[in-house]
Amino acid sequence: MYKTPLEALQLSPEECLSRPLSIELWVNLGLCSLQLFVTLLVCVAYRCRWHLRLWFFYLCTWLRPIPSMKTKEANFKFDLFVSHNEKDAAWVKNVLLPELEVHSQPPFKVCLYSRNWLAGRNISESIVESLTLSRHTLLLVTNAFAKSQWCQFEMTMAQHRLIETDNDNVVLAVMEDIEPINLNPRLRLMMKRKVYLQWTDDEVGRRLFWKRLKQMLQSDGGSLVEAFPQRDELRSALA
C-alpha cells in the first residue's frame, strides 16, 4: 500500500482495527495524558491550597508536638504585645481580641497601647516596658505599619530584645501585600529569615492563621541562632 493514492485506498474496518498503532503515536498519547493530568493536578492544588496547608499543619503538629515553654516561669504579665498601626486598630479590636481573649481556652492576655499604657507617660518607655512584660511580640505588618516611624521603632526594639535574651519571641503576621518601596532592610530581613503568618480572605486560610498563631503563642520562641543563622546580618540591619 506504500505510495498508493488516497482515493484508491480501500480498507475494511477489520483491517483498520488489526493494524497496530505506531510507537510515536503511543508516546504522543502518553505525553498528552501526562500533561492533562499535571494541569488538572495543579488546578486542584491551587483551588484547595488552603485546605492542603491546613492538613499539612495538622500533620506537622501530630509528628512534632508543641515544645514546652522554657520561659513559663518568667515574670510575664502578658502573653503578647501587639504592635500595629492605628489604621489597623479596628481589626485588632473587633477580630484579634475576641479570638484570643474570648474564643481561646485558656484566654490569652494581650497588651495594647490603647488600653494598657498610662496616659502622659513617655512612649519609648511604654514600648520597652510592654516588650519586657510580654512573653511574645506580635507584629501586624501592613503598608501603614511599614511606613510608620513608631511601628518601625517598636520592631527595632523587639529585635534588640531578641538579641539580648537570645529568645526568638517575635511573631510576624503579614496582613496584606507589602509594596516593595515600603520594605526597609529590617522588615525585609525578618520576612526573609522568619516563617511568618499570612492573613487571607479565604475561610480555611483564616482557620490556619489562628491555629498557627495560637500554637506559636503557646510555645517557646527558641534560640536566636536557629531563627537567624547569620547573626552578623541581623546586627548590620539593626545598625
Side-chain angles (χ1 to χ4, degrees):
M1 297 182 183
Y2 181 66
K3 294 185 178 181
T4 302
L6 184 61
E7 60 272 9
L9 184 62
Q10 295 182 356
L11 294 175
S12 64
E14 291 77 10
E15 290 178 317
C16 292
L17 294 175
S18 63
R19 292 180 177 274
L21 298 178
S22 63
I23 297 178
E24 292 81 3
L25 183 58
W26 281 113
V27 171
N28 290 332
L29 288 175
L31 291 177
C32 291
S33 300
L34 179 61
Q35 184 178 10
L36 179 61
F37 174 76
V38 172
T39 302
L40 291 175
L41 185 63
V42 171
C43 293
V44 172
Y46 178 79
R47 185 176 182 84
C48 303
R49 61 190 183 280
W50 290 112
H51 291 81
L52 295 175
R53 292 183 183 182
L54 183 60
W55 294 337
F56 182 74
F57 170 79
Y58 285 140
L59 177 62
C60 292
T61 303
W62 178 71
L63 294 176
R64 186 178 59 185
I66 300 176
S68 59
M69 285 188 183
K70 299 178 182 178
T71 57
K72 189 174 182 179
E73 297 78 9
N75 187 24
F76 291 118
K77 184 178 180 181
F78 303 99
D79 292 307
L80 73 155
F81 166 61
V82 182
S83 175
H84 65 91
N85 186 267
E86 181 63 28
K87 294 182 179 180
D88 305 312
W91 186 89
V92 173
K93 178 181 178 181
N94 300 324
V95 181
L96 180 67
L97 290 184
E99 182 66 32
L100 296 182
E101 296 184 338
V102 179
H103 303 304
S104 299
Q105 294 298 329
F108 293 95
K109 298 178 181 178
V110 182
C111 177
L112 293 178
Y113 68 84
S114 58
R115 69 177 184 183
N116 297 108
W117 287 7
L118 297 177
R121 190 177 181 183
N122 183 275
I123 297 180
S124 300
E125 294 179 359
S126 298
I127 293 175
V128 174
E129 183 181 46
S130 298
L131 293 171
T132 304
L133 296 179
S134 302
R135 179 175 285 108
H136 292 86
T137 300
L138 175 62
L139 304 180
L140 295 182
V141 181
T142 61
N143 285 286
F145 177 97
K147 292 186 291 186
S148 170
Q149 293 183 355
W150 279 116
C151 291
Q152 294 304 305
F153 178 75
E154 292 175 358
M155 182 177 67
T156 302
M157 295 304 299
Q159 290 174 321
H160 277 293
R161 184 169 180 269
L162 184 151
I163 294 178
E164 293 174 358
T165 61
D166 192 25
N167 181 30
D168 183 24
N169 64 342
V170 178
V171 179
L172 196 65
V174 179
M175 310 304 293
E176 61 184 7
D177 293 334
I178 308 301
E179 298 293 336
I181 193 174
N182 296 328
L183 285 175
N184 57 61
R186 295 186 183 92
L187 184 56
R188 189 187 303 274
L189 177 62
M190 292 201 71
M191 295 181 65
K192 176 182 177 182
R193 292 295 184 184
K194 289 182 65 67
V195 177
Y196 57 84
L197 304 175
Q198 185 176 3
W199 183 254
T200 175
D201 294 332
D202 186 87
E203 182 179 355
V204 179
R206 292 184 179 183
R207 286 171 51 195
L208 178 61
F209 177 91
W210 294 123
K211 289 182 179 296
R212 292 183 62 195
L213 174 59
K214 294 176 183 179
Q215 183 190 56
M216 290 179 176
L217 297 179
Q218 292 172 350
S219 62
D220 184 72
S223 173
L224 171 66
V225 178
E226 298 175 358
F228 294 89
Q230 300 179 10
R231 190 162 180 166
D232 294 338
E233 183 180 358
L234 177 60
R235 291 187 180 277
S236 63
L238 295 177

